């Protein structure tokens, strides 16, 4: 039996993102990203904890 690698988000603190299902939240800045848990501070929603294994945030370049 092979152990699966734990999920690791590609997001890093300081990156700017958008939530694909909530464009009304505006642009958010990643505050922390630990495993699948990503905390983002959105312009119009405030701080939100997101499961990155479920939601694919869009990185703004």
């Amino acid at each position: 039996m092979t152990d699966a690698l734990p999920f690791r988000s590609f997001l890093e603190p300081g990156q700017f993102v958008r939530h694909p299902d909530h464009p009304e939240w505006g642009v958010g800045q990643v505050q922390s990203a630990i495993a699948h848990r990503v905390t983002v501070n959105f312009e119009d929603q405030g701080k939100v904890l997101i499961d990155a294994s479920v939601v694919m945030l869009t990185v703004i370049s």
Side-chain angles (χ1 to χ4, degrees), residues 5-29:
L5 293 175
F7 181 87
R8 178 166 155 68
S9 173
F10 67 92
L11 296 168
E12 297 179 359
Q15 286 183 300
F16 291 97
V17 296
R18 287 192 183 273
H19 192 297
D21 298 329
H22 295 285
E24 71 276 10
W25 290 0
V27 174
Q29 185 175 29

Side-chain angles (χ1 to χ4, degrees), residues 5-6 10 21 24 29 34 37-39 43 45 50 54:
L5 293 175
F10 67 92
D21 298 329
E24 71 276 10
Q29 185 175 29
I34 301 170
R37 297 167 46 119
V38 179
T39 303
E43 295 174 315
Q45 182 64 25
I50 295 173
V54 175

